[in-house]
Amino acid sequence: MSAESAESPQQGGPLYKLWRFIREIVIIVAIALVLSFVIKTFFFRAYYIPSGSMENTLQINDRIFANLMVPGPFELERGDVVVFRDDLDWLPPLESQPTAVESALSFVGILPAAGEQYLVKRIIGTAGDTVECCTVDGKLSINGTPIDEPYIYPGNTPSDMAFTVTVPEGKLWVMGDHRAESADSRFHPDVQGGFVDLDSVQGKASVISWPLSRWGTIDSHEEVFASVPVPGN
């Protein structure tokens, strides 16, 4: 048998084949983790919906993806559903901390954000807007223009409490679609007037990713706000 046809134990043996297989798996996993981290950091991030404050737009246990390029290259608009950090302590402290594995998987973007407090609400007013509730026929108005809100949870009113606010620069006025179950901007007048810092916004909730039966985009309902005039006009 020639030297060329003889099987080299180093190059063709079972241990070498096993090593090659393991190496390829490690490379594939490493690339997947890097891509996941890049996507999570710059483009999209997963979040979990723990409450019914945004029903029926979002349901308890929904998983969503938020577009991290908003605000940023793209601007936020009235009607957008946004994810924002709980920088103003609207929520009670976490009862338990995530495990090391959960934190690691969250860091690379495989699991939703762990160990951090976030809220998901719909933008009703942006800088300069005057938001008031309610008109004589029970509607919310923005800059003096009443709006019809088809996304409100069936049987809810636009608000059970009266308010009139003007949104400062760099802030947002946000409300949940399930108005009777949402402790939103209306319920925090003693904390920065109930306004959310634009800098606290992590991104625009864009897609419901789980469960598969609810897969789809999240509607901003631009038509609701189309007739609202520019502040001051």
Side-chain angles (χ1 to χ4, degrees):
M1 181 179 293
S2 67
E4 288 79 4
S5 62
E7 180 183 60
S8 169
Q10 289 78 26
Q11 295 295 321
L15 290 179
Y16 176 76
K17 292 179 179 178
L18 178 62
W19 159 244
R20 286 190 59 183
F21 174 76
I22 294 174
R23 184 182 64 180
E24 289 174 2
I25 293 297
V26 169
I27 291 173
I28 291 171
V29 170
I31 292 173
L33 290 175
V34 169
L35 288 175
S36 179
F37 176 75
V38 170
I39 291 171
K40 185 267 300 191
T41 302
F42 298 105
F43 299 103
F44 289 92
R45 188 172 186 180
Y47 293 90
Y48 167 73
I49 305 301
S51 76
S53 68
M54 280 296 294
E55 292 173 331
N56 283 324
T57 302
L58 300 175
Q59 305 281 358
I60 297 174
N61 295 328
D62 277 355
R63 269 68 168 178
I64 64 172
F65 280 110
N67 179 359
L68 304 184
M69 294 185 288
V70 183
F74 305 101
E75 298 303 319
L76 291 171
E77 299 179 353
R78 304 183 196 101
D80 288 343
V81 176
V82 292
V83 180
F84 57 97
R85 294 190 309 271
D86 186 28
D87 293 337
L88 301 176
D89 296 327
W90 286 11
L91 299 172
L94 288 170
E95 294 182 359
S96 61
Q97 294 298 316
T99 65
V101 173
E102 289 172 334
S103 296
L105 294 177
S106 173
F107 178 75
V108 297
I110 295 176
L111 289 182
E116 302 170 315
Q117 295 272 56
Y118 292 92
L119 298 102
V120 181
K121 305 293 179 188
R122 189 179 297 275
I123 297 175
I124 302 299
T126 56
D129 285 339
T130 296
V131 185
E132 185 173 4
C133 196
C134 289
T135 63
V136 292
D137 54 352
K139 294 181 179 180
L140 203 70
S141 70
I142 304 174
N143 302 332
T145 300
I147 60 174
D148 294 308
E149 301 181 274
Y151 43 77
I152 291 179
Y153 188 82
N156 279 190
T157 62
S159 179
D160 290 333
M161 61 172 63
F163 63 88
T164 300
V165 297
T166 298
V167 184
E169 191 68 30
K171 310 291 183 184
L172 298 170
W173 181 265
V174 299
M175 300 174 71
D177 290 355
H178 196 166
R179 297 286 162 82
E181 297 293 332
S182 177
D184 46 44
S185 286
R186 298 169 294 166
F187 291 84
H188 303 279
D190 56 332
V191 184
Q192 200 171 262
F195 302 109
V196 172
D197 292 321
L198 191 59
D199 290 342
S200 295
V201 176
Q202 298 297 283
K204 174 184 173 181
S206 300
V207 174
I208 300 172
S209 60
W210 190 266
L212 292 179
S213 61
R214 287 185 41 74
W215 188 92
T217 58
I218 299 171
D219 198 342
S220 292
H221 288 279
E222 294 92 345
E223 75 283 356
V224 171
F225 307 91
S227 61
V228 174
V230 175
N233 287 2

